[in-house]
Amino acid sequence: MLLSRTARHLTRRARTLSAWAGVPAAPADPIVGLNQTFADDPSTTKVLLGVGAYRDDAGKPYVLPSIREAESRVVNGNPNHEYAAITGDAEFVKLSLEFAYGPDSAPLQEGRVAAAQVLSGTGGLRVCAQLIERLPRLTGSSQKPVCYMPEPTWGNHAKVFQDAGVEVRRYRYLDSNTKTTLDYEGMKEDLLGAEAGSTILLHACAHNPTGVDPSPDQWRDLSAALKKTDLQLFFDCAYQGFASGDAEADAVALRSFVEDGHQILLCQSYAKNFGLYGERVGALSAVCSSTEEKAALESQLKAIIRPMYSSPPIHGARIVKEVLGDATLRAQWTGECKEMANRIQEMRSLLREGLAEAGSTKDWSHITDQIGMFAYTGLSKEQVQKMRDESAVYCTLDGRISVAGLNRDNVAYVAAAIHAVSK
Ligand SMILES: Cc1ncc(COP(=O)(O)O)c(C=O)c1O
């Protein structure tokens, strides 16, 4: 097509402007952004207790020996690099479901669990959130897609659901007086009052950021109470094995809901328990009422995944499959997972002792009562900022510390820093 002189001139002029001119910078993720602020801090005694990644007693990233062994078996097997199916590696998915639900679980035995391999916990949450968003259209209902999540919850939860077009609402979780214990009655009241047909997000174990879980009795009571509603329960299981050191024990809550007949949604992540953070290995599943329903739901999951990222990565799933599918390696992993959980527990005790030694007379029992990777200290935003400025100890502004970032060399220093801002 021939352009006039004026049109050619205008096109040249327009090209001198950037296509992205006028795009404002988005706010940094509060947890990931903390890493950069920490890296820029010149202090020689600085401590990072932000990101939830396990560190060994020397403060270094840790690759579990069982995972190293599994990986070398995978690599030595000279596997090809073909695409995985849209729903991933079928054997990996099968082993993952048995890992979470238990091999004897009735819905598994009856072949009525729809599932897919996904991109770790976050990827699974995103796909499930999209399913929740589509469900009213798929079923011809006028229901608005709504998900209730605990207050507080993992910082990314609300964003994942909102990006998928799901309205996010909150239910009470942490006691607003103690700020370190569960407000069980408030939680139950809010859940029973939730809008019919909504989804309820529950942390399967080791609640992030608080480290506070319902007791086994409270879980049982909640399951019975929620059975009388038509709410869709959605378990986010990012720490199986990390809470108690025993993956079976950590699955008890979600298994009891399934035994009670709840048709749960579940997301599993292998980031923390297998130390496969960057490999993005996870699974999602939905308990269905029949094999026909399972087939239909799986086809809808494929319809969501295919245009989103087509199929999941294969390397990490092969490693997990190697561990879960080999009794010896699995036993080794179980021991190593327990060691990680034990080290975190020991750091909780040392931190509490350190606070007493530093002269604190406050009650810090919540530090040893809470479980999992994080402790919710109860420090205010101002105290967190002061601790950062005065001692270069970095944690998130809600007062959450990653206990996995503590070690024998820094725990007394951190205790003194916490005491200095909280006395
Ligand atoms: C509760 C919870 N869910 C999901 C995730 C997602 O983890 P990933 O996407 O790394 O598996 C995390 C990570 O911190 C988490 O704490």
Side-chain angles (χ1 to χ4, degrees):
M1 196 177 69
L2 286 176
L3 291 174
S4 70
R5 268 174 72 111
T6 326
R8 276 204 303 273
H9 172 70
L10 283 175
T11 310
R12 264 202 307 276
R13 236 178 58 137
R15 281 198 190 128
T16 62
L17 286 176
S18 163
W20 317 118
V23 176
D29 181 274
I31 300 178
V32 180
L34 196 66
N35 280 352
Q36 192 53 50
T37 322
F38 176 80
D40 295 340
D41 188 327
S43 162
T44 51
T45 52
K46 62 185 178 180
V47 181
L48 181 60
L49 303 175
V51 178
Y54 183 80
R55 296 289 175 255
D56 64 14
D57 205 40
K60 297 276 182 290
Y62 179 57
V63 181
L64 283 70
S66 55
I67 300 300
R68 275 239 192 276
E69 168 61 21
E71 183 165 35
S72 84
R73 287 187 197 176
V74 168
V75 173
N76 291 336
N78 290 322
N80 63 38
H81 298 287
E82 295 299 295
Y83 290 124
I86 299 174
T87 48
D89 182 313
E91 182 64 14
F92 161 83
V93 172
K94 176 179 175 285
L95 289 165
S96 287
L97 296 183
E98 288 173 0
F99 182 58
Y101 293 87
D104 299 331
S105 160
L108 277 190
Q109 295 277 330
E110 292 157 16
R112 54 181 174 90
V113 182
Q117 180 195 332
V118 281
L119 280 76
S120 211
T122 312
L125 287 163
R126 183 63 174 79
V127 172
C128 284
Q130 205 65 66
L131 180 69
I132 291 163
E133 188 271 334
R134 285 187 186 185
L135 215 50
R137 284 199 302 288
L138 293 173
T139 56
S141 135
S142 57
Q143 173 88 41
K144 213 168 29 163
V146 175
C147 180
Y148 289 78
M149 39 189 76
E151 179 59 50
T153 192
W154 178 49
N156 214 14
H157 270 150
K159 295 175 196 167
V160 168
F161 280 77
Q162 282 160 348
D163 266 12
V166 176
E167 182 186 325
V168 169
R169 296 185 192 161
R170 304 286 178 158
Y171 62 84
R172 275 172 284 172
Y173 194 78
L174 208 61
D175 189 307
S176 55
N177 294 317
T178 64
K179 301 221 169 22
T180 51
T181 53
L182 182 69
D183 176 6
Y184 179 66
E185 290 311 320
M187 172 186 186
K188 186 173 163 187
E189 193 183 322
D190 285 356
L191 294 185
L192 291 178
E195 190 177 324
S198 305
T199 299
I200 306 293
L201 184 73
L202 297 158
H203 294 228
C205 62
H207 180 275
N208 177 9
T210 66
V212 178
D213 285 349
S215 68
D217 281 348
Q218 288 169 334
W219 276 125
R220 267 191 293 277
D221 180 54
L222 204 57
S223 176
L226 292 174
K227 203 65 185 82
K228 301 183 189 110
T229 69
D230 74 343
L231 298 167
Q232 172 62 57
L233 306 187
F234 182 176
F235 282 87
D236 181 5
C237 189
Y239 298 92
Q240 192 183 345
F242 238 91
S244 66
D246 175 352
E248 296 299 305
D250 290 354
V252 159
L254 79 89
R255 288 180 189 177
S256 72
F257 276 70
V258 174
E259 275 162 27
D260 287 350
H262 288 282
Q263 286 188 240
I264 66 161
L265 268 172
L266 170 68
C267 278
Q268 298 167 251
S269 164
Y270 289 99
K272 326 276 175 168
N273 49 5
F274 280 56
L276 287 168
Y277 307 92
E279 296 297 344
R280 315 309 291 143
V281 203
L284 71 75
S285 50
V287 175
C288 302
S289 65
S290 65
T291 50
E292 292 76 23
E293 211 174 85
K294 167 203 144 108
L297 204 63
E298 260 176 20
S299 72
Q300 292 297 341
L301 291 171
K302 286 180 194 164
I304 293 171
I305 293 169
R306 175 69 174 144
M308 199 187 266
Y309 58 87
S310 196
S311 61
I314 48 182
H315 186 65
R318 283 175 171 157
I319 296 174
V320 171
K321 204 166 60 165
E322 195 69 40
V323 174
L324 292 181
D326 177 308
T328 312
L329 209 49
R330 187 173 177 149
Q332 186 186 335
W333 168 80
T334 301
E336 290 162 1
C337 182
K338 186 152 188 54
E339 276 172 27
M340 289 195 289
N342 287 351
R343 197 189 81 72
I344 290 178
Q345 206 51 50
E346 193 189 349
M347 287 305 126
R348 287 182 182 279
S349 304
L350 288 182
L351 180 61
R352 198 172 156 191
E353 282 167 33
L355 279 157
E357 274 161 30
S360 180
T361 51
K362 283 186 181 308
D363 178 11
W364 294 102
S365 53
H366 54 280
I367 293 208
T368 45
D369 290 347
Q370 294 167 358
I371 54 166
M373 196 173 249
F374 303 105
Y376 214 54
T377 57
L379 291 182
S380 67
K381 197 171 157 183
E382 292 71 31
Q383 288 169 325
V384 167
Q385 192 59 55
K386 194 162 180 242
M387 186 163 76
R388 213 180 274 183
D389 296 340
E390 293 179 356
S391 311
V393 172
Y394 286 73
C395 69
T396 45
L397 289 174
D398 57 3
R400 182 195 84 164
I401 59 170
S402 174
V403 186
L406 293 175
N407 55 56
R408 286 176 187 283
D409 290 336
N410 66 19
V411 65
Y413 178 76
V414 170
I418 294 178
H419 174 52
V421 298
S422 62
K423 62 186 169 194

